[in-house]
Amino acid sequence: MPGLFRAPLRHLLSAWTEIRLAEPEVADLHLDPSLPTIYVLPRPALSDALLLENYTRQHQMPAAEGRLSVDQVSVARCVALPARRLRRWPGRPAVVAPFTELIAANENVQIVPVSVFWGRAPGKEFGFWHLLAADNWQLTGRLRRALSVMVNGRDVEIQFGAPLQLADILDDREPELTNRKVARLLRVHFRRVRTRVLGPDLSHRSTLIEGVVSSPEVRHTISELQSTPNERSHGKLPRLQRRARRYGNEIASNMTYPVLRFMASALRRLWNRLYDGVDVTGLERVKQLAGDSTLVYVPCHRSHIDYLLLSYVLFRDGLMPPHIAAGRNLDMPVVGPVLRRGGAFFLRRSFRDNRLYGAVFNEYLHRLLAGGYSMEYFIEGGRSRSGRMLPPRPGMLSMTLRSFLRTQQQHARSVVFVPIYIGYERILENASYQRELGGGRKHRETPLGLLKVLGRLREEYGRVSVNIGEPLNIASFLDAQQPQWRQENDQRPDWLKDAVFELGQSLCQRINAVAALNPVNLVGLALLATPHRALEYGMLKGQLDLLCSLISPTPSRPGPTLPEGNADAWIDQVVTLGMIDRREQSLGEIITADASQAALLGWYRNNVLHLFALPALVAFSFRSYDTRSIDELTNLLSPLWPMLARELAVPVGDDLRQQLIRIVEHLVAVELLTEQSGQYQPCNSLEARERLRLLGQMIQPSLERNTLLVDTLLASPSGSLSRDELCQRSRSLAERLALLSGRAAPEFFDLRLFESLVDSLIADGWVWEEEQQLVFGSDLQHAASNAMQLLDASLQRRLAAVTGPQEKA
């Protein structure tokens, strides 16, 4: 275009457009200032070129306008890969990439690929937005590009690729062949970026549902139901097909770009009003995977906000939001249609007895994964009322594994789980969680309930953390679990159940490994370790610093994150959120929490208790014995630690002795323990002893609960109690213990915790089931004896007071 028109158009575009996201930062591109720079666009588009020229001017980058002269070669500073033509007309030259002259002259330049997205609509086969404006997988004509600039000018993204030096590609081949190689590398890069940002092409919803209903798997299920009629499946073929289609409509999402864009704008305002900020860690590793792999996001589930928060973060940072598995209870008037258009697909809590529904849902899930769509679901099943990671449910994990085994026959894209920890300084559901843990009935979600939540938006809620854990590639996981899996054609192999269990455990551990420490959970850890929920201000500060010192992130692997600031700022933040109170005293300030505040703090403490479980267990072991060696600690804790580790979803570790050595040496370094001739004992300082005692008391509730359950089991003959009987009896005793000890924490006697403990005993081989009765041997009695050694006389008497009446009964 002549310069007479180009400059005014560039100024007009600069005034009209707003770049919402540009990454990476200019400094992170690491451009070589000694080399000439050529920018490459994926296709010819004047709007993209002008936008790039404006951006490079504003950010002091090498110019993208005009021509570049390198010795005797003159090329444009911004070029585009030519569009591929399916048919070559007579007399029209073949389209080639524009690097031949530079290659022939053996000149070195740095090539920077640039992708520009005007809006971010996932491609659809039909629809107004496909025809009109937003970027998708289809190439755009001039009219459509002009409409796209007009409609999406305030929602533009620029993605820069890593610079590619031409000298690194030059070889002895003909310049034309090398030119094609450069073009091929750039096209692969552009395709990966578009997949990451836009996701794969979306089929129209009705087309997808029809494909599910007519699939061989669903038709086979319908055929079987016809041949074995009963009260649920009796009916003719058309009736069963209509039912399958109805299930498909009930399940399937209807992701649409206008709703995604509306929700991104609305949620940005919501987070700005609700929270002081959203901190995201580790998203770079997701971006590296997104172009080549199908991603399955598996966050922990603490709040209804989780659904919206993760999609918002991904959309904001240049990734396609996932399809989200949501409970059918959220498919309510007004809210359900919006969530469905934002990517939610709905499932029933249980459909084990409905074969047709199960077949439709499995096929729908398989088509999403096989199509390369990213997905999100919560492996815990529901929100955690206790604040800790719940045991994983096998349903969605099993369906994902079966779908993966099915697609591997076609050499499909790799599937990678992305574990995510979401941590809050304050959640919206505080009151309802406490009511439910105390025995209250769970209220059904309604639009009216949502309006009540909106009325609390003016309150303080602090910050939110979204931490990305270490991704888990399904193929690599199966290689370690079942090396021969590639040679099997069975979609339900015998080893699937065990693999699903191990997969769930691994994902829970990876989520917990990247927990976010914040002022609320740190204060909760320290304050709730005291019998009366009160600490001197200076002691609390010292305890917060001690807890942070125990966290040592590993550079090679993602780990926990620490809050910004210092202990004084953290305490101020928790006071601002209304979680604790300050009491001015003549001898110094005291921090306290009343019963209701303590119940809330317990939920946040449980978010991160697992990070300190083993150090706390070591500190607790010095409660009744002043001197211990490493060998004594190892022998004492070896039977106890695996059960605690499984309960808290942390790895047991390969060498407990080495872990104990590191912890004890750290406690010596912070002057809580002293060492003499291989024997360790608490320091003589009263303050040091108190800090060690507070550290140990963090794990005391878990030890008491575990000991209570094991004592309840041992009080009856082996094989006389079922799982449900043991859990119910233990829960009643734990509630009694909570009343006797003044522990105002309903989560202490949460039934799901006892169910998880029984699962841990069975998984570790302490207990096994015979004819639905729990059977145990002498090893369990030995472990119980070790646990009792940790408890001092007062704690043993307290447990005896609780379990004594039960034993007599």
Side-chain angles (χ1 to χ4, degrees), residues 123-126 200-209 253-255 367 373:
K124 279 202 173 185
E125 295 177 1
F126 309 100
D201 249 351
L202 287 175
S203 297
H204 194 274
R205 183 170 185 265
S206 61
T207 306
L208 178 59
I209 293 173
S253 70
N254 188 25
M255 185 180 283
R367 290 190 172 232
Y373 306 116

Side-chain angles (χ1 to χ4, degrees), residues 73 95-107 111 166 169-184:
V73 180
V95 292
V96 294
F99 309 110
T100 306
E101 293 181 354
L102 289 171
I103 294 170
N106 202 26
E107 298 293 346
I111 299 171
L166 196 57
I169 306 174
L170 294 177
D171 49 31
D172 296 332
R173 290 183 292 183
E174 293 293 326
E176 291 79 6
L177 294 177
T178 305
N179 188 49
R180 292 177 189 172
K181 177 182 177 181
V182 175
R184 185 168 60 253

Side-chain angles (χ1 to χ4, degrees), residues 109-149:
V109 298
Q110 56 187 348
I111 299 171
V112 181
V114 184
S115 302
V116 180
F117 298 95
W118 299 82
R120 286 175 48 199
K124 279 202 173 185
E125 295 177 1
F126 309 100
F128 178 72
W129 283 90
H130 169 80
L131 174 67
L132 177 62
D135 244 323
N136 59 25
W137 281 95
Q138 305 297 323
L139 298 181
T140 55
R142 293 181 180 178
L143 176 59
R144 185 175 168 196
R145 170 61 63 169
L147 291 172
S148 181
V149 171

Side-chain angles (χ1 to χ4, degrees), residues 630-641:
I630 292 295
D631 289 337
E632 290 172 341
L633 278 175
T634 304
N635 294 333
L636 178 66
L637 302 183
S638 292
L640 305 176
W641 173 237

Side-chain angles (χ1 to χ4, degrees), residues 574-700:
V574 185
V575 171
T576 300
L577 294 174
M579 300 287 196
I580 56 176
D581 296 319
R582 295 177 183 267
R583 299 286 181 88
E584 296 290 345
Q585 296 288 325
S586 58
L587 298 180
E589 190 176 22
I590 295 177
I591 302 299
T592 66
D594 60 31
S596 61
Q597 290 171 327
L600 295 178
L601 284 174
W603 189 91
Y604 299 95
R605 172 201 59 192
N606 291 343
N607 290 176
V608 294
L609 178 62
H610 61 276
L611 296 175
F612 305 95
L614 191 53
L617 192 60
V618 171
F620 194 85
S621 68
F622 287 94
R623 179 186 177 103
S624 53
Y625 286 80
D626 279 345
T627 304
R628 293 191 187 275
S629 67
I630 292 295
D631 289 337
E632 290 172 341
L633 278 175
T634 304
N635 294 333
L636 178 66
L637 302 183
S638 292
L640 305 176
W641 173 237
M643 186 165 68
L644 270 175
R646 191 176 294 275
E647 174 195 344
L648 298 172
V650 294
V652 176
D654 296 330
D655 191 338
L656 178 60
R657 179 185 173 86
Q658 290 301 316
Q659 295 181 70
L660 295 178
I661 290 174
R662 287 194 294 269
I663 292 170
V664 168
E665 288 179 347
H666 182 82
L667 294 178
V668 170
V670 296
E671 299 181 348
L672 296 188
L673 293 178
T674 60
E675 186 268 339
Q676 187 173 2
S677 301
Q679 296 289 321
Y680 296 88
Q681 61 183 11
C683 292
N684 291 326
S685 164
L686 291 178
E687 180 181 348
R689 286 179 174 267
E690 178 66 9
R691 291 174 63 194
L692 186 67
R693 184 182 67 83
L694 290 176
L695 177 61
Q697 287 187 177
M698 293 192 314
I699 203 66
Q700 180 177 324

Side-chain angles (χ1 to χ4, degrees), residues 14 28 36 71 87 130 138 163 169 171 246 267 432 449 511 551 616 633 638 657 668 747 795 809:
S14 176
D28 295 333
D71 290 341
R87 179 179 300 176
H130 169 80
Q138 305 297 323
I169 306 174
D171 49 31
R246 186 172 70 249
L267 291 175
S432 64
I511 293 171
I551 299 299
L633 278 175
S638 292
R657 179 185 173 86
V668 170
E747 58 89 16
L795 291 179

Side-chain angles (χ1 to χ4, degrees), residues 713 758 761-769 773-777 780:
L713 179 60
V758 174
L761 288 173
I762 294 174
D764 291 327
W766 299 105
V767 175
W768 57 96
E769 287 186 283
Q773 301 296 305
L774 298 176
V775 180
F776 55 86
L780 184 63

Side-chain angles (χ1 to χ4, degrees), residues 406-414:
R406 182 175 162 188
T407 58
Q408 287 313 292
Q409 307 303 323
Q410 292 85 34
H411 305 287
R413 286 156 51 99
S414 61

